[in-house]
Every structure is written in structure tokens, then in C-alpha cells.
Amino acid sequence: MKLASLRHGRDGRLAVVSRDLKTMLPVDRLCPSLQMALDSWSTTAPRLQEVSDALNQGTASGAIAFDAAKLASPLPRAYQWCDGSAYLNHVELVRKARNAVMPPEFLHDPLMYQGGSDDFLPPTADIAVADEAYGIDFEGEVAAITGDVPMGIDAAGAAGHIRLLMLVNDVSLRNLIPGELAKGFGFFHGKPSTAFSPVAVTPDELGDAWKDAKVCRPLVTHLNGKQFGAPDAGTDMQFSLADLIAHAAKTRNLRAGCIVGSGTVSNRDASKGFSCLAEIRMIETIENGKPTTPFMKFGDHVRIEMFDGAGKSIFGAIDQTVVKYAA
């Protein structure tokens, strides 16, 4: 099934979305919010599935037209947002661009940071930034929403706690990041509010494209109306979403509604394009000594989407424009 949150209050108003993304049905009388559904998943999910089946069969009453502009993030705020770096090609390029070697432990010990989760951007909301000099970048990713995950679980067990899947635009302010990392305490200002796809889907909606806890479809990014990249999210993924969840749960329990991201989708085959500006800039630096592709400017537009084998959108589109922040 496919779920979304209509913009309403702090936590949204839960809605079930049809498979073809043409209609949606508010179900807040059944369960007010997605977080509450996750908290009682074993009893609530079957009831939501009944609504989903009726909606897909055209027998549900009260359905309205699907409109991503009316939606918040599936989880407008979350208890936890952990973002990994599952695509080692991206990590290798980052290090190679500054003449550094990738440590061998990165092959079995994933990178991960804990991002801000109290104020996610709606999927069609503007990206408001105070200064273009911050180095504005998009990052296309996939992510899982978990149920309750016990501390110390292995990847095989973690896979069973994946409730929903989403797309991500992990907005990055690249020129702020080096100074923050130099302090030794990781990202903060360099990682502003994140955006997620309009719709979160259960893994079964992906069919054969869900394999080994990986989403095996191209992630298509357009920048200012021109295709920027379509790398396959299941290719060159060193760590599956289950691996990343197990890593996050190494020393703590994860509670229902925890979001775990894949990191920037990246393929070794550069002909597939890219999921962030930083990656093409790193290749330019390696080949020419300096980058030539600029970071985003005010007025630039990014669209991130994934399609099934028949060319139909799975999650809806993250569709955002960069604007100057006005207090």
C-alpha cells in the first residue's frame, strides 16, 4: 500500500494513496497520523490495507484527487533520522578528489550521521537558503521507515522491521561542511531540513524491484528541466537498507518511525549520471584540477522521482525550487 500525510498541524493527516497515484483517501478517523499507525502497525496496517484495496479497486467512497502540493512529508517530523553512505563509489570520489585513500574498514563499517528530524520539508516545498555562497546541493537517496528495532539485531533480522520506503532529497550546504567536519563533531549547519517523497510505500509495492533489502530501480533526477542522472539504486550499493538499520541499532533500540537513509545513490558507471552536484564536481576536480559545474542558485529547480518497469511513478516526485530565505 501507499501512504501519505496531508498538511495538517504538526504531524499531518494520514491518507491512503492509490497505486496509480491518481486518488487518495483521508483515513484520520481510522488513524490520525502515520506515526500513530507505525506505533500500532500490527493492528492498524491490516485495516489500512483494506482501504488500499478498496481504493485500488475503485470501490472506496470519499476519495479525492491526488495532489502532492497538499501533502507534507509522509512523516512531517520523526523521532530519528539517520543517514548512511551505502554507495562506496561516492565515498571513493570524495576522497580521491582530495588525494586521500579510502580506509579499508569502509568496506564493512558504513558511515552514518544523525540528522535533524523535527522539521522535514514537504515534497513540493521551496528550499529556502540564506546565501548562495553556502554551496547549495541536492542529494537523491532512498530511505526506510522502521518499526521498533531491538538493539544488537543483525541485518537479516533488521529487514523484517522495514515498514515503508521513501525517496529523499538530503539537501546539503557543501561550503559549510568542511569547517564543521574540521571541528570533529560532524554535520550540523551543512545539513538543513530534508525533503522526502510525497508517498511512502510498503516494500511489496515494488515487486521484483525490492531485492535483498535494496530498491532496484533507477533514481531519476532533473535539474532545471534537464535530466541530470538516473543511477540504479540497487547497483553498487555496498550496504543494504537492512545493513544500515542493523548498524544504527548496534548500541541502541530504534523506535517505530525511525528513518534510515541510503546516502547519495551513485553508480561506478558515470554514464548513468549523478544524484548530486558534488559528485560531478569531484570528477571534474580529478580530471581537470578544479570543478566547473556550479552549485545551485536561487531559482534553480530539482525533481527527484522513481518509476516502475511500466514507466509509472512509484513514490511521486520531490519537486523543489531554491529560494532566498526571508525571515
Side-chain angles (χ1 to χ4, degrees), residues 80 82-86 105-114 146 149-159 239-254 258 260-261:
Q80 185 160 224
C82 306
D83 201 17
S85 190
E105 59 267 25
F106 281 19
L107 292 170
H108 55 81
D109 188 20
L111 296 170
M112 183 170 284
Y113 81 92
Q114 191 172 46
T146 76
V149 182
M151 182 172 65
I153 197 168
D154 62 13
F239 304 104
S240 71
L241 289 169
D243 290 326
L244 294 174
I245 293 167
H247 178 79
K250 180 177 180 178
T251 61
R252 68 185 75 179
N253 297 313
L254 307 181
C258 176
V260 178

Side-chain angles (χ1 to χ4, degrees), residues 52-93:
S52 176
D53 293 342
L55 193 61
N56 288 323
Q57 293 164 9
T59 59
S61 60
I64 59 177
F66 176 80
D67 183 356
K70 295 180 179 180
L71 299 177
S73 171
L75 282 172
R77 56 179 176 170
Y79 290 117
Q80 185 160 224
W81 157 230
C82 306
D83 201 17
S85 190
Y87 300 89
L88 293 192
N89 181 61
H90 181 78
V91 180
E92 287 177 325
L93 287 172

Side-chain angles (χ1 to χ4, degrees), residues 258-297:
C258 176
I259 305 173
V260 178
S262 67
T264 307
V265 175
S266 176
N267 289 172
R268 296 187 184 279
D269 180 0
S271 70
K272 302 295 184 182
F274 311 96
S275 298
C276 68
L277 290 165
E279 193 159 312
I280 192 171
R281 286 170 58 88
M282 289 182 286
I283 290 175
E284 291 166 349
T285 299
I286 293 166
E287 294 179 349
N288 306 313
K290 63 179 182 180
T292 55
T293 298
F295 287 122
M296 297 180 81
K297 304 294 185 183

Side-chain angles (χ1 to χ4, degrees), residues 116-310:
S117 60
D118 57 328
D119 184 34
F120 293 138
L121 294 174
T124 61
D126 291 337
I127 301 168
V129 182
D131 193 337
E132 288 179 345
Y134 288 169
I136 308 162
D137 200 357
F138 55 86
E139 288 193 62
E141 309 181 12
V142 295
I145 302 177
T146 76
D148 289 324
V149 182
M151 182 172 65
I153 197 168
D154 62 13
H161 294 281
I162 295 174
R163 299 288 181 255
L164 296 162
L165 301 166
M166 301 185 291
L167 303 183
V168 187
N169 181 12
D170 180 38
V171 180
S172 295
L173 303 178
R174 300 292 187 185
N175 293 338
L176 300 184
I177 289 174
E180 290 195 313
L181 294 181
K183 295 178 180 179
F185 246 46
F187 300 123
F188 194 80
H189 293 139
K191 292 290 188 178
S193 295
T194 304
F196 296 89
S197 52
V199 172
V201 312
T202 49
D204 61 285
E205 288 287 338
L206 295 174
D208 293 341
W210 178 245
K211 184 177 181 181
D212 300 327
K214 299 178 181 180
V215 179
C216 301
R217 293 297 303 166
L219 183 64
V220 182
T221 300
H222 283 82
L223 178 61
N224 295 327
K226 182 179 179 180
Q227 184 167 307
F228 186 79
D232 192 285
T235 301
D236 300 323
M237 190 180 194
Q238 181 75 10
F239 304 104
S240 71
L241 289 169
D243 290 326
L244 294 174
I245 293 167
H247 178 79
K250 180 177 180 178
T251 61
R252 68 185 75 179
N253 297 313
L254 307 181
R255 293 307 182 192
C258 176
I259 305 173
V260 178
S262 67
T264 307
V265 175
S266 176
N267 289 172
R268 296 187 184 279
D269 180 0
S271 70
K272 302 295 184 182
F274 311 96
S275 298
C276 68
L277 290 165
E279 193 159 312
I280 192 171
R281 286 170 58 88
M282 289 182 286
I283 290 175
E284 291 166 349
T285 299
I286 293 166
E287 294 179 349
N288 306 313
K290 63 179 182 180
T292 55
T293 298
F295 287 122
M296 297 180 81
K297 304 294 185 183
F298 298 141
D300 282 350
H301 174 256
V302 63
R303 184 180 178 95
I304 300 170
E305 198 165 9
M306 184 176 283
F307 302 90
D308 63 19

